[in-house]
Amino acid sequence: MLEIINDYWLFFLIGQYPNGPIGGLAGTLLLATICLILALPCSILIAIGRTGKNRFWRGVTFVIVYVMRGTPFLMIIFWAHFLGPLVFGTSIGAFWVMVIALVLYESAYLGEVIRAGIQSLPYGQTEAAKAMGFPRTKTMTLIVLPQVMYNSFPALLSQFVSIIKETSLGFVIGVHEFTYAASQVNSILLVKPVEIYAILGLTFFIVCFTFTSAARWLERKIGKSQGVLPA
Amino acid sequence: MSFESMAVLQEPYLSWLLQGLSLTFALFIFSWTTAFVLGFLLLLLRMSPIKVIAWIPATYIELARNIPLLVQIMFWYFAVPMLLPDFLQQALNRGDSGFVLAGLALGFCMAAYFSESFRSGVRSINNTQLEASRALGFSFLRTMQYIVFPQALRATIPLIMNNTLLLFKNTSIAMAIGVHELMYQVLSINNDTFRTFEIFFVATLVFLFFSVLIMIAGEFAERWAKKSRRISDA
């Protein structure tokens, strides 16, 4: 096992990078981070639509969320894989196909996280803002959202763990990420699948568990600061 | 890419689809049962008063929840057979090893999620109930059987329905190791006909149909749980 790490650690870490696309663990984290940055604004819009008064937008966002929650992520990856080139008129590469699929899928889930945050915020906040003469957009951007983002930060962090785990599915369309790197090493060595997949799994565990623990710690901390006892 | 005829719903493709669907269901039922039973065992172990024994399921649950399912499936498919004794390897190869290993991988992974749902149900029961029933002379197992589990079930069922939905959607990942379930068949039909849009549209509707069924069942279960709780409180 140590021998494999010794021989292939750079490949596991960054893939073929200067000679090819960035891959390996770096590719996975890059993919997850880009997805989070792009999906966050979309999910805020979805959450506002879901909690808003406008019936049309409430319906639209409801359908988006339920379609995304009811469809396997692989299906969305393949939709993006086959329709992406048609929409953009040119091949956009597996990496960006995966970004699109992840953003579509995760916006719905992150949207539900933020919606829960908006709904758990005491309504008095909105009423007070209204009483002080804030217009609706300013109430949202200056009063509601900052508190919601702060309160749901732990939940967003655990959703980031889900994103990291989901990037591994990019393997099926050939995205250069960590799982792909491991399966390449596996097809070079052929006889060491136990060690290679153990390295793969344990590395994923270390990365994801760090974020999971951070999310739990923050949850306790944020809960305490508001005088709420940790569950 | 035209949408005028549903050529993908004619033979032989219709039977490909139906075969895929039946294998998806077989995988779903197999892994759901595994996850349920194993999740329950993990819960029992975790409630053990001996710290060391309680740590084993806790560690397993963290591992299963923090490693991507695809990686777990690949580990089961490529690595686990190497660790098994010869006669088991041969038995696996005689049968449909991909199906069995994918089912076990799904079941073992989801068992962690099921177990966490069970546990949050048990934790929703006030500790005084446990103490009261022990004081009345119920043994630990009888306390669980008559006092804790019937009540915990109500808090657990909505969570379990959510996990069931997750499990149903995740069966499609088994295609990565070549199990001929619905997603795999859809890709084969796509390679055969190039009617990408049609076949994906049909398959998405099929998945959505069953997912929505599970979601509606979950909704009903949640309402039922709330209602029966209200009655018991009164």
Side-chain angles (χ1 to χ4, degrees), chain A residues 4 8 11-13 15 23-25 171 175-190 192-193 195-201 203-204, chain B residues 71 74 78:
Chain A
I4 298 174
Y8 291 98
F11 189 72
F12 276 130
L13 210 59
L25 189 58
F171 169 76
V175 180
H176 290 261
E177 40 74 54
F178 196 29
T179 317
Y180 187 84
S183 72
Q184 273 184 320
V185 173
N186 187 35
S187 51
I188 295 168
L189 293 177
L190 281 175
K192 299 242 184 257
E195 289 87 345
I196 291 167
Y197 286 106
I199 294 170
L200 176 67
T203 315
F204 261 122
Chain B
V71 175
M74 285 167 116
F78 293 111

Side-chain angles (χ1 to χ4, degrees), chain B:
Chain B
M1 213 188 283
S2 62
F3 200 54
E4 81 282 337
S5 69
M6 287 307 251
V8 294
L9 285 184
Q10 283 157 14
E11 291 300 341
Y13 304 120
L14 186 62
S15 52
W16 290 17
L17 268 184
L18 291 178
Q19 276 165 18
L21 194 60
S22 59
L23 204 62
T24 290
F25 269 107
L27 197 60
F28 172 62
I29 291 167
F30 175 47
S31 47
W32 195 89
T33 319
T34 314
F36 194 89
V37 174
L38 197 69
F40 197 71
L41 289 178
L42 284 173
L43 172 74
L44 286 182
L45 278 180
R46 196 156 186 192
M47 289 165 76
S48 155
I50 305 164
K51 274 256 167 69
V52 183
I53 294 180
W55 267 74
I56 298 168
T59 313
Y60 174 75
I61 287 168
E62 290 302 342
L63 276 172
R65 283 169 29 122
N66 284 298
I67 295 175
L69 182 56
L70 177 70
V71 175
Q72 293 186 43
I73 289 182
M74 285 167 116
F75 187 82
W76 277 83
Y77 187 67
F78 293 111
V80 166
M82 307 274 270
L83 300 169
L84 292 175
D86 278 343
F87 72 95
L88 272 177
Q89 276 190 38
Q90 279 157 10
L92 260 182
N93 288 334
R94 267 197 301 277
D96 186 353
S97 66
F99 175 82
V100 174
L101 291 170
L104 285 175
L106 273 164
F108 270 74
C109 173
M110 291 307 292
Y113 291 83
F114 273 58
S115 184
E116 285 294 275
S117 304
F118 292 145
R119 197 165 76 104
S120 72
V122 169
R123 287 210 305 191
S124 72
I125 310 297
N126 204 318
N127 214 22
T128 50
Q129 301 233 355
L130 226 133
E131 283 162 13
S133 93
R134 291 309 290 275
L136 285 167
F138 283 89
S139 71
F140 177 76
L141 283 178
R142 292 288 170 263
T143 306
M144 288 295 142
Q145 186 187 347
Y146 292 116
I147 315 292
V148 176
F149 288 148
Q151 300 186 73
L153 201 63
R154 284 201 291 258
T156 302
I157 281 182
L159 300 174
I160 290 293
M161 292 310 289
N162 213 358
N163 292 341
T164 305
L165 178 64
L166 208 62
L167 175 59
F168 176 69
K169 293 192 332 177
N170 283 344
T171 54
S172 62
I173 299 177
M175 71 136 260
I177 57 166
V179 178
H180 291 220
E181 48 69 69
L182 189 56
M183 196 72 227
Y184 187 94
Q185 300 292 64
V186 165
L187 289 176
S188 315
I189 295 171
N190 179 41
N191 286 339
D192 220 55
T193 60
F194 294 107
R195 291 180 179 271
T196 309
F197 191 77
E198 293 164 47
I199 183 60
F200 274 79
F201 188 72
V202 169
T204 306
L205 282 186
V206 172
F207 271 120
L208 262 182
F209 175 74
F210 291 108
S211 296
V212 168
L213 276 188
I214 297 174
M215 285 181 202
I216 290 174
E219 199 73 27
F220 270 109
E222 201 157 342
R223 261 180 228 167
W224 168 80
K226 270 187 193 145
K227 207 162 85 185
S228 58
R229 167 148 300 176
R230 210 162 41 236
I231 291 167
S232 72
D233 283 348

Side-chain angles (χ1 to χ4, degrees), chain A residues 18-201:
Chain A
N19 310 313
I22 195 160
L25 189 58
T28 288
L29 292 177
L30 187 68
L31 198 55
T33 313
I34 292 176
C35 163
L36 186 69
I37 292 168
L38 293 180
L40 214 48
C42 302
S43 64
I44 291 174
L45 288 181
I46 287 178
I48 292 174
R50 287 269 279 156
T51 52
K53 288 204 166 59
N54 188 318
R55 276 196 159 189
F56 174 72
W57 288 114
R58 227 165 48 203
V60 169
T61 46
F62 176 85
V63 170
I64 292 175
V65 167
Y66 275 81
V67 166
M68 287 301 157
R69 279 186 55 196
T71 320
F73 184 45
L74 267 184
M75 188 63 100
I76 291 156
I77 295 177
F78 283 118
W79 271 113
H81 182 60
F82 289 112
L83 286 188
L86 287 178
V87 172
F88 292 94
T90 164
S91 172
I92 51 171
F95 186 86
W96 291 104
V97 165
M98 194 61 196
V99 168
I100 291 171
L102 268 171
V103 168
L104 282 174
Y105 190 70
E106 279 304 326
S107 296
Y109 279 89
L110 289 170
E112 287 296 273
V113 169
I114 294 171
R115 180 181 72 105
I118 291 178
Q119 282 173 341
S120 70
L121 198 70
Y123 194 64
Q125 298 279 337
T126 315
E127 282 175 333
K130 202 187 270 176
M132 296 177 95
F134 277 77
R136 287 219 334 250
T137 36
K138 278 204 171 160
T139 308
M140 204 33 129
T141 52
L142 295 178
I143 313 287
V144 175
L145 279 181
Q147 298 187 66
V148 166
M149 295 314 280
Y150 177 77
N151 289 343
S152 46
F153 190 70
L156 291 177
L157 205 55
S158 24
Q159 200 60 34
F160 185 60
V161 174
S162 299
I163 299 177
I164 293 176
K165 292 196 295 176
E166 274 149 10
T167 55
S168 68
L169 285 174
F171 169 76
V172 295
I173 56 167
V175 180
H176 290 261
E177 40 74 54
F178 196 29
T179 317
Y180 187 84
S183 72
Q184 273 184 320
V185 173
N186 187 35
S187 51
I188 295 168
L189 293 177
L190 281 175
V191 290
K192 299 242 184 257
V194 180
E195 289 87 345
I196 291 167
Y197 286 106
I199 294 170
L200 176 67

